[in-house]
Amino acid sequence: MKDHSITEDRRLIEDFLPIQAISAEASREKSVRKGRLSKGIVSWPEDERPRETLLEKGPEALSDAALLAILLRTGRKGQNAIELGR
């Protein structure tokens, strides 16, 4: 009889697949298909967003427009918060 016990070197699929990135891309593609592609900052990769950059690298890493975008919190139709900050 074979021993079917779980070994310690067993890996889960989540260890190898970037599930969150795949989910984000799938959501973006769904929005494109429905004609709702966001041009706002929320659609940018996380490492390019002003708030995330502020938290990770500090205020020195941001332009004045990006700092203003954080204070504004939102843009308006046709302009994201950074464009308004400029």
Side-chain angles (χ1 to χ4, degrees):
M1 252 180 136
K2 290 185 178 180
D3 182 12
H4 293 291
S5 64
I6 298 174
T7 61
E8 288 188 29
D9 65 351
R10 184 174 168 182
R11 307 280 167 140
L12 298 174
I13 194 165
E14 289 86 0
D15 292 338
F16 299 101
L17 285 176
I19 303 267
Q20 289 179 333
I22 292 170
S23 178
E25 181 63 19
S27 293
R28 189 193 70 74
E29 287 178 6
K30 183 177 179 183
S31 291
V32 169
R33 284 194 305 272
K34 292 187 175 188
R36 296 188 311 232
L37 180 60
S38 171
K39 294 180 182 174
I41 292 171
V42 72
S43 67
W44 297 3
E46 281 191 30
D47 61 339
E48 294 179 15
R49 297 179 194 169
R51 191 173 309 278
E52 285 77 358
T53 302
L54 175 66
L55 293 172
E56 187 176 315
K57 299 178 183 175
E60 330 52 60
L62 293 170
S63 67
D64 290 342
L67 289 169
L68 280 171
I70 292 169
L71 294 174
L72 292 171
R73 295 187 60 209
T74 185
R76 61 181 187 193
K77 191 171 185 175
Q79 281 187 306
N80 64 40
I82 290 183
E83 291 168 341
L84 281 175
R86 289 187 186 129

